[in-house]
Amino acid sequence: MTGIAERLAALRAEIEGEVRACGRAAGSVRILGVSKRQPASAIVEAVGAGLDAIGENYVQEALEKFVGLPPVEKHFIGHFQTNKAKALVQAFDVVQSVDRPEAATALGNAAARAGRELRVLIQLNISPSERFGCPPAEAEALAEVIRALPALRLDGVMAIGPITEDRGEIEAAFALAAKTFARVGGSTLSIGMSGDWREAVRAGSTMVRIGTALFGERRYD
Ligand SMILES: *Cc1c(COP(=O)(O)O)cnc(C)c1O
């Protein structure tokens, strides 16, 4: 008994409480269960408890765990090199981490060759502690590149908040993400993780990416 189902239920209730407290529509924030460095059995348990979308950061790890999983929407949320584009198109429903034109073009070409449409988000860099992501000032130019690729469908933005205890700094970073989301367009603002989802929901997040608060500590071995 790992308690994943209980944690998912509690998290849903807490998130809905925050959604209501800030006057937003019930059910307007979706939970993405971030299962990197967690066993496939944990994903199976969460899906059994009603989780309908998972996020993974590493292509090889994900491919190994996806074998035999029950149906669940799969999001890629990690940094990737262009040579991973084909594997991403084959294994994932959504790629949230498109942060530069070359990455968009590689995915767009791979999706076209596979004869499918791939949903993507632009990953923004809104934090000095983050190495990757598109500078917000360049997001509209990247959005144009993506929209010119017929096999990609741009659905919004993703960002990782700053690693800090300063709640004001987190709020400012999420406000910047929300403002950039409004310019880029789409239906998904993917901000908020285990430690900062409340600030994210208040800033307008439509998808929180929750790892440790749902699955527990990650295993590194
Ligand atoms: C690991 C990770 C998460 C989940 O982080 P937690 O703090 O464990 O909730 C969310 N988003 C991205 C991009 C991640 O890499």
Side-chain angles (χ1 to χ4, degrees):
M1 176 87 166
T2 67
I4 290 174
E6 290 82 353
R7 282 201 288 264
L8 179 61
L11 201 55
R12 268 197 209 295
E14 278 189 79
I15 290 170
E16 278 311 300
E18 191 65 46
V19 163
R20 233 176 300 119
C22 50
R24 297 183 52 192
S28 54
V29 178
R30 198 168 170 206
I31 297 175
L32 183 77
V34 176
S35 48
K36 63 168 177 248
R37 307 287 194 227
Q38 301 288 352
S41 59
I43 301 174
V44 171
E45 190 173 345
V47 171
L51 184 74
D52 64 359
I54 59 167
E56 287 279 348
N57 293 59
Y58 309 101
V59 177
Q60 196 52 44
E61 177 190 340
L63 293 178
E64 287 164 20
K65 291 196 302 199
F66 286 176
V67 177
L69 274 193
V72 62
E73 196 173 275
K74 300 175 183 78
H75 292 232
F76 188 74
I77 60 173
H79 184 70
F80 63 94
Q81 301 299 330
T82 54
N83 63 8
K84 292 291 194 298
K86 185 179 176 190
L88 289 172
V89 165
Q90 284 172 346
F92 289 89
D93 301 296
V94 182
V95 174
Q96 297 201 1
S97 44
V98 177
D99 65 353
R100 59 201 194 283
E102 307 77 61
T105 304
L107 278 183
N109 291 340
R113 275 195 293 272
R116 64 164 290 207
E117 185 183 71
L118 181 71
R119 233 188 318 151
V120 300
L121 304 183
I122 290 176
Q123 179 175 353
L124 299 173
N125 187 319
I126 56 167
S127 155
S129 43
E130 258 313 297
R131 271 163 71 208
F132 302 115
C134 173
E138 294 167 24
E140 283 165 288
L142 180 55
E144 270 185 51
V145 170
I146 294 172
R147 290 202 172 98
L149 293 160
L152 298 187
R153 184 155 63 79
L154 180 59
D155 188 40
V157 305
M158 180 271 262
I160 299 171
I163 301 169
T164 173
E165 288 307 307
D166 180 345
R167 306 324 284 187
E169 191 183 332
I170 294 170
E171 284 169 11
F174 285 160
L176 175 59
K179 198 174 107 190
T180 310
F181 172 55
R183 294 204 316 263
V184 165
S187 64
T188 304
L189 173 56
S190 172
I191 52 173
M193 316 197 326
S194 294
D196 57 15
W197 64 259
R198 283 186 192 277
E199 285 84 359
V201 168
R202 288 186 211 123
S205 174
T206 68
M207 175 174 279
V208 291
R209 307 180 309 271
I210 308 291
T212 43
L214 175 60
F215 292 112
E217 290 302 320
R218 288 184 269 277
R219 295 133 205 230
Y220 295 95
D221 39 52

